[in-house]
Amino acid sequence: MRARISYFVTAAVLVVYFVLVGSRGVMLIQQGTALTVAFGAAVLILPVIGVWFLWKNTQFVKKANALAAKLDAEGGLPVDELVRTPGGRIDRDSADAVFAKRRAETEDSPDDWRCWFRLAVAYHDARDTPRARRAMQRAIALHDGKPVRA
């Protein structure tokens, strides 16, 4: 729940920022000189890119959560078998052992979105966020029946 609240607060702050930057871009364009119009147009591109990025991330999170709910309904969510330090952090060796098991499972069933979802969780637990995201994107694509790259 804390992650969801943080996400929405960050998204709201970004939207406010996009509005402020967009208004500055419009103000620059209204000045009417060639230089300010060029700068204003360049400034307006930033909120457009930001909105697109925020939209894509929101869609990714919604789809990943939908897969998690579906996997939970099937009883296939990965069991938390990780060893933790007294402070609550995941032990690296434990995460690596679980990751090896999930990777082998995914290699045995490369077209099963469930295996890719569990692999994404293992990557996340091993603190490899870029690979976790790619594995989750592959799980989403497999679930949706979209073609995936090898």
Side-chain angles (χ1 to χ4, degrees), residues 35-114:
L35 186 62
T36 59
V37 169
F39 278 140
V43 167
L44 284 176
I45 290 172
L46 295 174
V48 170
I49 292 170
V51 167
W52 173 82
F53 182 75
L54 185 60
W55 174 256
K56 293 299 277 185
N57 278 308
T58 302
Q59 292 305 308
F60 173 77
V61 169
K62 285 174 61 175
K63 289 177 182 179
N65 285 340
L67 288 187
K70 185 171 183 175
L71 202 54
D72 186 29
E74 295 175 357
L77 279 179
V79 177
D80 186 2
E81 51 191 307
L82 298 167
V83 176
R84 299 186 189 280
T85 65
R89 297 194 74 155
I90 296 171
D91 178 62
R92 182 75 175 183
D93 293 333
S94 173
D96 289 343
V98 171
F99 170 77
K101 186 167 60 170
R102 298 293 180 224
R103 184 179 61 205
E105 176 185 293
T106 304
E107 288 171 354
D108 290 342
S109 302
D111 294 329
D112 186 3
W113 67 266
R114 293 161 186 86

Side-chain angles (χ1 to χ4, degrees), residues 60 116 120 128-139 149:
F60 173 77
W116 283 98
D128 191 347
T129 305
R131 287 189 178 132
R133 187 171 183 88
R134 283 195 300 273
M136 188 61 71
Q137 287 169 338
R138 188 173 184 116
R149 292 180 290 166

Side-chain angles (χ1 to χ4, degrees), residues 2-58:
R2 192 174 86 191
R4 185 174 285 184
I5 291 170
S6 296
Y7 185 81
F8 284 117
V9 168
T10 304
V13 169
L14 281 173
V15 168
V16 169
Y17 173 75
F18 297 152
V19 169
L20 290 174
V21 169
S23 69
R24 297 295 180 209
V26 170
M27 287 172 53
L28 283 168
I29 290 171
Q30 288 174 340
Q31 292 294 318
T33 68
L35 186 62
T36 59
V37 169
F39 278 140
V43 167
L44 284 176
I45 290 172
L46 295 174
V48 170
I49 292 170
V51 167
W52 173 82
F53 182 75
L54 185 60
W55 174 256
K56 293 299 277 185
N57 278 308
T58 302

